[in-house]
Structure formats: structure tokens, C-alpha cells
């Protein structure tokens, strides 16, 4: 636990410990006290108490409670960015003090779903500890990243595999689900408009998503086609369509369509970390560990 004091320029300062900020971020990121409790490895009642303590210290409410979970208040949204910077700085400082500085280069291939979420956490922590390492990132779907790994074009690949038992290192299990905008009743239309990926060899099979609708007797029509998950997100946020996406990639303002909505999980996917056994180095191992830590924080 680290104590941080905030001052408003007067004699008064607010002592906030890092545990409170970590719990606050877990609740903000999950929008749910139960999932936040799992993330910080505490009970739900302990999480509630920590949020109440933080609100009492600050003097304002951070979350509004709803039937589906919690939503940040305006004051809560103001705190999020500062809290992230503080926690990241503490983690990076601790890592920098523990590990010797490395040099050289490391090349990473990763799916688009994590390019703007989990990967920046890993890169930020790694750069703080090893500023002399040259890092190169390749964004691509799983098959292209695996091909690049086997060809020696990258050193680390973070890819999707079908759920279940695997010989590879699983970073997290990230179900594929249907996502819809909170502001639009898109999923209630019939036929329901859906957004899908274009077909490419070895990539995501749209048939699996469509099959899940047919099994439930839900008529659908393809309203949007994209090669990237950002395109699918745009279709969902705008209310143009619902789309299959990784649960962790569902953007703000959107939600998972559950069994209560008449939908459900499309498929279970493992997110795995792959390296070349014949090409290891302290630099590659350190980056792999930074990626592991970032995904553990995303669980």
C-alpha cells in the first residue's frame, strides 16, 4: 500500500492509498462490484467498503448504482485518468527498481482487440524499466501473427485459440459474445441487423456467429462488413447493427447481449502467448512477462 497526498493549495491535503485507487479502477473498468471483487481478489463487501471510504475522503459520490451495475458520476470520470496515471507510475517504479535494464530489440504481433487496451499497459511498464530496448508492434489477426512468428519476423505473438485445453500459455479466456448499443434497441429488430468480419482464410468464421442466431430462431441480415474490430465497434456504437466481439473489447456505451436478451455466448476463446522456443533472450522474456502482468490486470 502506498499513501499519496493530494493538496488543493491550502493547508488541507487528502491522504489516499493506492489500494483504494486500484479498487476504484477495478469497479470503473468492470462496471460491476462482483467482477471488480474478483479482479482485486477481495470480497464484494470489502470492495463496497473501500469505495465508500474513498468517497468519504473525497467528499463526493463516484458511482451511481443501477440494476445492471454501477456507472461513474461526473466526479468519478474526473478521477479515472489521474488514478490510472498514479497506479501505473507506482507499478512502473516498482518494476524499474526490481529489474536490471536491458537493451536490444523485441517484436510483437497482437490482435486489434488488445492494441488499444491491454498492450499499452504492457508497453508502458516495459519502457519505464527498459528504455533502451527497441520495440516494434505488428497488428494483425491470429493466423497472420502465427505465420510471422514461424517465419522469424516477430518474437512474441498474442493470438486467439478455440477455448478448452491447450498446450500453449493462456493469458485469459475471452468469450465471443453479441454486443449492442445501450442507446438503441437494435437487437430487438427482426431480422436483426448484424455486423461481421469479411471472410479471410484461417480467420474468424462468421458462420459460427450466424449459426448461434439460427439455433435460437433469430432471423438476421448482414448490415455491415468490416475487416477490423474497430469497424464492428463503429457499427454497434451507432446502433446500425449488433456484432460478435470479444467480451473484453466491448466499448463504453455498449453491452453484452445475454441469455436474458435471448442471445448468449457465441464461443469461448483462449488468448494465448506464443514465442519461438529456439529464439529466447532476457529482453524477449522480460517483454513476455510485462504482457502477462498486463493481461492479469485485465482479467
Amino acid at each position: 500500500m502506498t499513501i499519496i497526498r493530494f493538496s488543493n493549495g491550502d493547508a488541507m491535503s487528502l491522504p489516499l492509498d493506492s489500494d483504494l485507487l486500484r479498487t476504484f479502477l477495478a469497479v470503473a473498468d468492470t462496471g460491476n462490484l462482483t467482477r471488480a471483487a474478483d479482479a482485486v481478489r477481495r470480497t464484494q463487501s470489502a470492495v463496497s467498503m473501500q469505495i465508500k471510504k474513498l468517497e468519504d475522503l473525497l467528499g463526493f459520490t463516484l458511482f451511481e448504482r443501477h440494476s445492471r451495475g454501477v456507472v461513474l458520476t461526473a466526479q468519478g470520470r474526473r478521477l479515472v485518468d489521474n488514478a490510472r496515471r498514479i497506479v501505473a507510475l507506482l507499478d512502473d517504479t516498482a518494476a524499474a527498481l526490481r529489474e536490471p535494464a536491458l537493451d536490444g530489440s523485441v517484436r510483437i504481433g497482437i490482435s486489434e482487440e488488445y492494441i488499444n487496451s491491454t498492450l499499452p499497459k504492457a508497453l508502458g511498464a516495459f519502457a519505464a524499466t527498459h528504455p533502451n530496448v527497441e520495440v516494434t508492434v505488428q497488428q494483425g489477426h491470429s493466423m497472420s501473427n502465427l505465420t510471422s512468428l514461424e517465419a522469424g519476423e516477430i518474437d512474441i505473438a498474442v493470438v486467439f485459440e478455440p477455448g478448452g485445453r491447450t498446450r500453449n500459455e493462456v493469458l485469459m479466456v475471452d468469450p465471443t459474445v453479441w454486443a449492442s448499443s445501450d442507446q438503441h434497441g437494435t437487437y430487438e429488430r427482426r431480422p436483426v441487423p448484424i455486423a461481421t468480419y469479411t471472410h479471410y482464410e484461417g480467420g474468424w468464421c462468421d458462420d459460427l456467429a450466424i449459426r448461434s442466431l439460427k439455433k435460437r430462431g433469430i432471423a438476421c441480415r448482414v448490415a455491415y462488413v468490416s475487416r477490423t474490430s474497430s469497424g464492428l465497434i463503429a457499427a454497434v456504437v451507432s446502433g446500425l447493427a449488433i456484432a460478435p466481439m470479444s467480451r473484453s473489447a466491448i466499448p463504453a456505451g455498449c453491452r453484452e447481449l445475454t441469455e436474458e436478451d435471448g442471445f448468449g455466448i457465441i464461443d469461448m476463446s483462449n488468448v494465448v502467448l506464443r514465442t519461438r522456443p529456439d529464439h529466447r533472450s532476457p529482453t524477449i522474456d522480460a517483454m513476455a512477462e510485462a504482457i502477462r502482468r498486463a493481461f492479469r490486470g485485465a482479467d
Side-chain angles (χ1 to χ4, degrees):
M1 179 180 71
T2 303
I3 302 295
I4 305 120
R5 290 187 174 273
F6 291 88
S7 174
N8 62 3
D10 301 325
M12 183 187 72
S13 63
L14 298 174
L16 301 180
D17 69 67
S18 58
D19 283 348
L20 295 182
L21 295 179
R22 291 181 194 279
T23 300
F24 163 71
L25 289 174
V27 177
D29 289 340
T30 62
N32 182 284
L33 293 177
T34 301
R35 290 200 294 269
D38 291 339
V40 298
R41 294 176 174 81
R42 296 179 183 273
T43 64
Q44 183 175 335
S45 60
V47 167
S48 296
M49 290 175 62
Q50 284 197 306
I51 295 301
K52 180 65 166 58
K53 181 177 180 180
L54 183 58
E55 290 177 332
D56 289 344
L57 281 169
L58 295 173
F60 48 74
T61 302
L62 297 170
F63 296 98
E64 295 176 354
R65 277 68 175 176
H66 298 283
S67 58
R68 291 185 178 274
V70 296
V71 178
L72 285 165
T73 62
Q75 295 282 31
R77 289 193 295 272
R78 288 181 59 195
L79 178 61
V80 163
D81 288 341
N82 283 330
R84 288 197 199 285
R85 285 195 291 269
I86 291 166
V87 169
L89 179 60
L90 291 172
D91 290 343
D92 293 348
T93 301
L97 293 174
R98 286 195 303 265
E99 300 179 23
L102 298 171
D103 54 20
S105 64
V106 60
R107 300 162 299 174
I108 306 164
I110 192 166
S111 298
E112 184 186 8
E113 283 84 350
Y114 307 110
I115 207 79
N116 293 316
S117 55
T118 310
L119 185 62
K121 300 174 187 176
L123 296 182
F126 186 85
T129 310
H130 310 294
N132 295 324
V133 174
E134 182 180 282
V135 180
T136 304
V137 178
Q138 168 183 299
Q139 176 184 307
H141 58 78
S142 294
M143 288 304 297
S144 68
N145 284 331
L146 285 175
T147 299
S148 295
L149 184 69
E150 292 169 2
E153 296 168 354
I154 58 175
D155 305 304
I156 298 172
V158 177
V159 298
F160 288 105
E161 284 186 355
R165 301 182 68 175
T166 176
R167 294 182 179 180
N168 297 311
E169 179 182 351
V170 178
L171 296 170
M172 70 182 298
V173 177
D174 202 359
T176 303
V177 300
W178 287 104
S180 180
S181 166
D182 280 335
Q183 303 299 318
H184 306 86
T186 313
Y187 70 97
E188 298 175 331
R189 302 175 195 164
R190 293 296 181 272
V192 62
I194 65 173
T196 68
Y197 292 105
T198 53
H199 293 274
Y200 49 79
E201 185 178 355
W204 167 260
C205 178
D206 293 322
D207 292 341
L208 187 62
I210 295 173
R211 195 180 308 137
S212 74
L213 297 179
K214 289 182 178 179
K215 284 175 61 177
R216 296 171 182 274
I218 300 174
C220 68
R221 66 177 183 87
V222 176
Y224 191 98
V225 178
S226 173
R227 289 191 63 86
T228 66
S229 60
S230 59
L232 267 61
I233 287 173
V236 172
V237 170
S238 67
L240 177 65
I242 66 172
M245 61 180 62
S246 300
R247 178 180 284 165
S248 67
I250 296 176
C254 300
R255 67 177 181 87
E256 174 184 345
L257 294 173
T258 65
E259 296 285 349
E260 293 180 358
D261 301 305
F263 291 79
I265 292 174
I266 297 170
D267 188 33
M268 299 298 292
S269 298
N270 292 331
V271 182
V272 303
L273 185 146
R274 299 279 298 271
T275 58
R276 289 186 291 149
D278 60 338
H279 185 68
R280 298 282 296 277
S281 72
T283 299
I284 293 172
D285 289 345
M287 175 57 80
E289 181 56 29
I291 292 172
R292 290 186 192 100
R293 287 199 298 263
F295 271 91
R296 284 199 293 269
D299 285 345

PDB file of all heavy atoms in Angstrom, residues 27-28 31-33 63-66 68-72:
ATOM      1  N   VAL A  27     -13.597  -1.236 -10.288  1.00  0.00           N
ATOM      2  CA  VAL A  27     -15.042  -1.031 -10.388  1.00  0.00           C
ATOM      3  C   VAL A  27     -15.372  -0.208 -11.626  1.00  0.00           C
ATOM      4  O   VAL A  27     -16.315  -0.504 -12.359  1.00  0.00           O
ATOM      5  CB  VAL A  27     -15.586  -0.346  -9.117  1.00  0.00           C
ATOM      6  CG1 VAL A  27     -17.080  -0.066  -9.261  1.00  0.00           C
ATOM      7  CG2 VAL A  27     -15.334  -1.211  -7.889  1.00  0.00           C
ATOM      8  N   ALA A  28     -14.570   0.824 -11.889  1.00  0.00           N
ATOM      9  CA  ALA A  28     -14.809   1.673 -13.067  1.00  0.00           C
ATOM     10  C   ALA A  28     -14.679   0.870 -14.357  1.00  0.00           C
ATOM     11  O   ALA A  28     -15.459   1.056 -15.303  1.00  0.00           O
ATOM     12  CB  ALA A  28     -13.835   2.844 -13.074  1.00  0.00           C
ATOM     13  N   GLY A  31     -17.619  -2.030 -14.214  1.00  0.00           N
ATOM     14  CA  GLY A  31     -18.999  -1.575 -14.049  1.00  0.00           C
ATOM     15  C   GLY A  31     -19.822  -2.493 -13.179  1.00  0.00           C
ATOM     16  O   GLY A  31     -21.056  -2.451 -13.201  1.00  0.00           O
ATOM     17  N   ASN A  32     -19.135  -3.300 -12.370  1.00  0.00           N
ATOM     18  CA  ASN A  32     -19.832  -4.317 -11.585  1.00  0.00           C
ATOM     19  C   ASN A  32     -19.002  -4.642 -10.350  1.00  0.00           C
ATOM     20  O   ASN A  32     -17.810  -4.959 -10.460  1.00  0.00           O
ATOM     21  CB  ASN A  32     -20.032  -5.568 -12.457  1.00  0.00           C
ATOM     22  CG  ASN A  32     -20.781  -6.658 -11.749  1.00  0.00           C
ATOM     23  OD1 ASN A  32     -20.233  -7.353 -10.905  1.00  0.00           O
ATOM     24  ND2 ASN A  32     -22.054  -6.816 -12.092  1.00  0.00           N
ATOM     25  N   LEU A  33     -19.626  -4.591  -9.170  1.00  0.00           N
ATOM     26  CA  LEU A  33     -18.889  -4.820  -7.930  1.00  0.00           C
ATOM     27  C   LEU A  33     -18.396  -6.259  -7.811  1.00  0.00           C
ATOM     28  O   LEU A  33     -17.306  -6.506  -7.289  1.00  0.00           O
ATOM     29  CB  LEU A  33     -19.766  -4.469  -6.721  1.00  0.00           C
ATOM     30  CG  LEU A  33     -20.121  -2.986  -6.551  1.00  0.00           C
ATOM     31  CD1 LEU A  33     -21.045  -2.797  -5.360  1.00  0.00           C
ATOM     32  CD2 LEU A  33     -18.863  -2.150  -6.360  1.00  0.00           C
ATOM     33  N   PHE A  63     -19.862   6.766  -7.965  1.00  0.00           N
ATOM     34  CA  PHE A  63     -20.651   5.880  -8.814  1.00  0.00           C
ATOM     35  C   PHE A  63     -22.143   6.064  -8.549  1.00  0.00           C
ATOM     36  O   PHE A  63     -22.552   6.339  -7.414  1.00  0.00           O
ATOM     37  CB  PHE A  63     -20.296   4.406  -8.561  1.00  0.00           C
ATOM     38  CG  PHE A  63     -18.889   4.032  -8.915  1.00  0.00           C
ATOM     39  CD1 PHE A  63     -17.907   3.970  -7.938  1.00  0.00           C
ATOM     40  CD2 PHE A  63     -18.543   3.748 -10.226  1.00  0.00           C
ATOM     41  CE1 PHE A  63     -16.602   3.625  -8.258  1.00  0.00           C
ATOM     42  CE2 PHE A  63     -17.243   3.402 -10.563  1.00  0.00           C
ATOM     43  CZ  PHE A  63     -16.267   3.347  -9.573  1.00  0.00           C
ATOM     44  N   GLU A  64     -22.899   5.880  -9.610  1.00  0.00           N
ATOM     45  CA  GLU A  64     -24.349   5.772  -9.491  1.00  0.00           C
ATOM     46  C   GLU A  64     -24.718   4.303  -9.598  1.00  0.00           C
ATOM     47  O   GLU A  64     -24.217   3.595 -10.478  1.00  0.00           O
ATOM     48  CB  GLU A  64     -25.060   6.574 -10.588  1.00  0.00           C
ATOM     49  CG  GLU A  64     -24.842   8.078 -10.499  1.00  0.00           C
ATOM     50  CD  GLU A  64     -25.489   8.801 -11.660  1.00  0.00           C
ATOM     51  OE1 GLU A  64     -25.996   8.114 -12.571  1.00  0.00           O
ATOM     52  OE2 GLU A  64     -25.473  10.045 -11.660  1.00  0.00           O
ATOM     53  N   ARG A  65     -25.576   3.818  -8.693  1.00  0.00           N
ATOM     54  CA  ARG A  65     -25.953   2.404  -8.687  1.00  0.00           C
ATOM     55  C   ARG A  65     -27.179   2.184  -9.555  1.00  0.00           C
ATOM     56  O   ARG A  65     -28.149   2.926  -9.467  1.00  0.00           O
ATOM     57  CB  ARG A  65     -26.250   1.927  -7.263  1.00  0.00           C
ATOM     58  CG  ARG A  65     -25.019   1.526  -6.453  1.00  0.00           C
ATOM     59  CD  ARG A  65     -24.114   2.680  -6.103  1.00  0.00           C
ATOM     60  NE  ARG A  65     -23.008   2.281  -5.235  1.00  0.00           N
ATOM     61  CZ  ARG A  65     -22.033   3.091  -4.855  1.00  0.00           C
ATOM     62  NH1 ARG A  65     -22.009   4.349  -5.271  1.00  0.00           N
ATOM     63  NH2 ARG A  65     -21.078   2.636  -4.063  1.00  0.00           N
ATOM     64  N   HIS A  66     -27.110   1.158 -10.415  1.00  0.00           N
ATOM     65  CA  HIS A  66     -28.217   0.760 -11.273  1.00  0.00           C
ATOM     66  C   HIS A  66     -28.439  -0.735 -11.147  1.00  0.00           C
ATOM     67  O   HIS A  66     -27.618  -1.453 -10.580  1.00  0.00           O
ATOM     68  CB  HIS A  66     -27.939   1.131 -12.734  1.00  0.00           C
ATOM     69  CG  HIS A  66     -27.783   2.602 -12.965  1.00  0.00           C
ATOM     70  ND1 HIS A  66     -28.852   3.462 -13.010  1.00  0.00           N
ATOM     71  CD2 HIS A  66     -26.671   3.366 -13.139  1.00  0.00           C
ATOM     72  CE1 HIS A  66     -28.415   4.696 -13.211  1.00  0.00           C
ATOM     73  NE2 HIS A  66     -27.089   4.662 -13.292  1.00  0.00           N
ATOM     74  N   ARG A  68     -28.185  -2.986 -13.362  1.00  0.00           N
ATOM     75  CA  ARG A  68     -27.189  -3.767 -14.110  1.00  0.00           C
ATOM     76  C   ARG A  68     -25.771  -3.583 -13.585  1.00  0.00           C
ATOM     77  O   ARG A  68     -24.844  -4.210 -14.080  1.00  0.00           O
ATOM     78  CB  ARG A  68     -27.238  -3.406 -15.591  1.00  0.00           C
ATOM     79  CG  ARG A  68     -28.503  -3.865 -16.300  1.00  0.00           C
ATOM     80  CD  ARG A  68     -28.407  -3.576 -17.780  1.00  0.00           C
ATOM     81  NE  ARG A  68     -29.578  -4.047 -18.504  1.00  0.00           N
ATOM     82  CZ  ARG A  68     -29.727  -5.274 -18.964  1.00  0.00           C
ATOM     83  NH1 ARG A  68     -28.768  -6.159 -18.772  1.00  0.00           N
ATOM     84  NH2 ARG A  68     -30.824  -5.635 -19.601  1.00  0.00           N
ATOM     85  N   GLY A  69     -25.590  -2.701 -12.617  1.00  0.00           N
ATOM     86  CA  GLY A  69     -24.250  -2.465 -12.097  1.00  0.00           C
ATOM     87  C   GLY A  69     -24.087  -1.032 -11.645  1.00  0.00           C
ATOM     88  O   GLY A  69     -25.019  -0.432 -11.094  1.00  0.00           O
ATOM     89  N   VAL A  70     -22.904  -0.465 -11.887  1.00  0.00           N
ATOM     90  CA  VAL A  70     -22.623   0.905 -11.473  1.00  0.00           C
ATOM     91  C   VAL A  70     -22.069   1.699 -12.644  1.00  0.00           C
ATOM     92  O   VAL A  70     -21.452   1.138 -13.561  1.00  0.00           O
ATOM     93  CB  VAL A  70     -21.621   0.946 -10.295  1.00  0.00           C
ATOM     94  CG1 VAL A  70     -22.209   0.294  -9.058  1.00  0.00           C
ATOM     95  CG2 VAL A  70     -20.308   0.278 -10.678  1.00  0.00           C
ATOM     96  N   VAL A  71     -22.298   3.018 -12.604  1.00  0.00           N
ATOM     97  CA  VAL A  71     -21.831   3.923 -13.655  1.00  0.00           C
ATOM     98  C   VAL A  71     -21.122   5.092 -12.982  1.00  0.00           C
ATOM     99  O   VAL A  71     -21.576   5.593 -11.949  1.00  0.00           O
ATOM    100  CB  VAL A  71     -23.008   4.437 -14.515  1.00  0.00           C
ATOM    101  CG1 VAL A  71     -22.511   5.419 -15.567  1.00  0.00           C
ATOM    102  CG2 VAL A  71     -23.747   3.277 -15.174  1.00  0.00           C
ATOM    103  N   LEU A  72     -20.009   5.523 -13.557  1.00  0.00           N
ATOM    104  CA  LEU A  72     -19.255   6.644 -12.999  1.00  0.00           C
ATOM    105  C   LEU A  72     -20.074   7.930 -13.017  1.00  0.00           C
ATOM    106  O   LEU A  72     -20.775   8.221 -13.991  1.00  0.00           O
ATOM    107  CB  LEU A  72     -17.974   6.869 -13.795  1.00  0.00           C
ATOM    108  CG  LEU A  72     -16.829   5.874 -13.576  1.00  0.00           C
ATOM    109  CD1 LEU A  72     -15.806   6.021 -14.680  1.00  0.00           C
ATOM    110  CD2 LEU A  72     -16.180   6.080 -12.217  1.00  0.00           C
TER     111      LEU A  72
END
